[in-house]
Amino acid sequence: MWQNWHQPGAMMGYDGGGWFWGMAFHGFSAILFIAILAVVLILLFRWFGAGHQMHASTPPAGSALDILKARYARGEIDREDYLQRKADLS
């Protein structure tokens, strides 16, 4: 009985022939853990990032004339183009 404790691997619960399956399971579980962690992080980044993108891409609210005035104020269109489009909308 005392001699069994001095055999290699006896204190760790290995019987001397099953160590391969234990190592294979630990390697597989480590890879599985990293894959699950990566998927969770990707989903979190998409979930938190989607809220910011949706607000940035919403079109400006208002009537067509308000949008036309804002474009003229920003300098996107010149005076002649503004007056022509304003007449078309009226």
Side-chain angles (χ1 to χ4, degrees), residues 39-51:
V39 167
V40 167
L41 288 175
I42 289 170
L43 291 176
L44 283 174
F45 282 129
R46 285 187 180 180
W47 186 53
F48 285 120

Side-chain angles (χ1 to χ4, degrees), residues 25-44:
F25 175 73
H26 287 294
F28 177 72
S29 63
I31 292 170
L32 184 65
F33 175 75
I34 292 171
I36 290 172
L37 183 64
V39 167
V40 167
L41 288 175
I42 289 170
L43 291 176
L44 283 174

Side-chain angles (χ1 to χ4, degrees), residues 2 11 21 42 51 53 65 82-83:
W2 178 256
M11 293 185 73
W21 296 111
I42 289 170
Q53 291 174 356
L65 191 57
Y82 168 74
L83 291 174

Side-chain angles (χ1 to χ4, degrees), residues 7-21:
Q7 292 178 355
M11 293 185 73
M12 298 184 71
Y14 296 122
D15 62 354
W19 62 270
F20 173 77
W21 296 111

